Amino acid sequence: MKEQLVEIKQKIEQQINQIQDLNDLQLLRSSALGKKSELQGLMIHLKDLPNDEKPMVGKLINETKQALELIFDERKGVLEEKALNEKLEKEQVDVTLPGLKLVTGSTHLLTQVQEDIEQFFIGLGYEIKDGPEVESDHYNFEMLNLEKDHPARAMQDSFYIDVNRLLRTHTSPVQARTMLESEGKNIKIICPGKVYRRDDDDQTHSHQFMQIEGLVIGESVSFADLKGTLLAVIRHFFGSERTIRLRPSYFPFTEPSVEVDVFSEDGRFIEVLGAGMVHPNVLKMGGYDPQKVQGFAFGIGIERLAILKYAVDDIRQFYTNDVRFLNQFKGGLEK
Ligand code: 2NL
């Protein structure tokens, strides 16, 4: 019996040492020590032994079992450590490797300039208005005192969709619509947006560009108010020391009309926008009595502002989406 136990123990020990996998070890443990095992079989046969041998043999079987339990536990410990080491090896992370760069987008320079100017005028109590980019001849030209035979209305200068409709050539139609909606009440608005002219694109021309127009109407709106407003927006955008110069000009929708130059650092005057007092005909068509109210209006080219402030050498840079250009303005407008 004793030899039999030693033999069983050796056999199982050998099997344990060959096992490489924790699951297999658990299976072997059940078959070697469980209810249907050889050892358990010997336990059952105890009852057939003479009484004086029973305690000794029983003790021997139990000792063998305990010894094997220990060997199983030891092997389990070894295999668990091996599994952990393999897992650590496989999931190794080199924290010194460079990370993946997160590519983020940013606001387009033209949008930054637009929002900057918008915020300035919001601070002065203006409302922001927008309207359709496909306009009727009526709102785009007629309401702005451009007669039927005015050269600006020529087919070759605008994108016509049919005889009556075209892509707006300025944001003025938004202002004309606002005048009609306002039914004679005071107005203080700016209208930013895309506008279209039939031009061949080159360094300084784009068939699509952006404008911000402004319109103020009220009983005591004067040319001095216009001048003060323009000086304030120029100083906001180009710096508080800037001076401006107003030159007489002509627009069909304003009288008198001016062109505004900003004094540049190298002593030259650079044209930045057009403006004037709203023409009596435009007031009348918009439902206002020119004997009772006055208005001023201005039109600013957004590209022009950005080109002057950031020395952009080609207007097409705004529309060709070269990220090397766009990324230069990722940080927002510097003040
Ligand atoms: C320019 C000149 C200007 C206006 C736009 C305007 C609008 C209404 C009535 C009167 Cl509804 N005027 N707009 C006035 C003067 C000049 O734009 O050179 N823009 C880039």
Side-chain angles (χ1 to χ4, degrees), residues 35-240:
K35 281 205 175 92
K36 289 178 180 157
S37 66
E38 217 176 332
L39 277 173
Q40 198 56 35
L42 291 177
M43 271 306 213
I44 289 162
H45 285 113
L46 259 186
K47 65 180 191 312
D48 304 329
L49 290 176
N51 271 343
D52 59 342
E53 282 183 28
K54 278 182 190 167
M56 200 264 286
V57 176
K59 195 171 161 237
L60 260 180
I61 296 175
N62 273 333
E63 277 170 5
T64 309
K65 254 182 128 171
Q66 277 162 13
L68 282 171
E69 296 271 14
L70 221 74
I71 296 168
F72 268 112
D73 286 347
E74 232 170 74
R75 184 73 188 155
K76 189 173 173 226
V78 170
L79 290 181
E80 274 173 351
E81 197 182 321
K82 188 170 146 243
L84 180 65
N85 283 336
E86 276 169 10
K87 195 172 168 201
L88 286 175
E89 181 70 29
K90 210 167 66 194
E91 295 177 4
Q92 210 180 87
V93 173
D94 182 353
V95 293
T96 67
L97 282 176
L100 292 178
K101 197 167 177 205
L102 196 62
V103 180
T104 55
S106 58
T107 313
H108 194 281
L109 177 59
L110 292 178
T111 310
Q112 291 180 34
V113 171
Q114 178 187 335
E115 288 175 352
D116 180 44
I117 302 291
E118 282 177 2
Q119 284 310 311
F120 172 79
F121 279 107
I122 286 171
L124 294 184
Y126 284 67
E127 265 182 77
I128 297 173
K129 281 271 183 184
D130 52 39
E133 287 179 26
V134 174
E135 264 297 0
S136 64
D137 197 80
H138 179 73
Y139 285 111
N140 193 76
F141 294 127
E142 202 82 30
M143 289 283 289
L144 288 144
N145 202 33
L146 282 109
E147 313 267 316
K148 272 260 166 339
D149 56 356
H150 193 282
R153 290 176 75 155
M155 293 292 280
Q156 63 267 24
D157 287 339
S158 314
F159 290 110
Y160 276 87
I161 285 154
D162 55 37
V163 279
N164 237 323
R165 289 180 308 158
L166 72 156
L167 295 180
R168 67 183 183 192
T169 59
H170 41 198
T171 57
S172 311
V174 183
Q175 293 168 304
R177 287 169 178 276
T178 305
M179 286 166 77
L180 291 174
E181 278 167 21
S182 303
E183 296 172 327
K185 292 197 198 65
N186 288 354
I187 290 179
K188 205 166 152 187
I189 56 166
I190 56 164
C191 307
K194 293 200 275 282
V195 300
Y196 305 84
R197 305 224 176 133
R198 217 159 129 170
D199 252 333
D200 289 325
D201 291 359
D202 63 25
Q203 206 172 339
T204 54
H205 296 84
S206 172
H207 64 282
Q208 178 211 292
F209 56 102
M210 295 193 73
Q211 247 199 343
I212 297 183
E213 284 197 44
L215 177 69
V216 176
I217 297 178
E219 255 179 51
S220 54
V221 175
S222 70
F223 192 88
D225 295 328
L226 171 61
K227 202 175 159 185
T229 304
L230 296 176
L231 182 62
V233 67
I234 292 300
R235 288 188 166 174
H236 166 78
F237 191 74
F238 288 109
S240 58

Side-chain angles (χ1 to χ4, degrees), residues 144 172 175-176 179 211 213 215 251 253-254 273-276 278 282 297-301:
L144 288 144
S172 311
Q175 293 168 304
M179 286 166 77
Q211 247 199 343
E213 284 197 44
L215 177 69
F251 301 110
F253 27 86
T254 47
L273 61 97
V278 181
V282 176
F298 55 85
I300 310 175

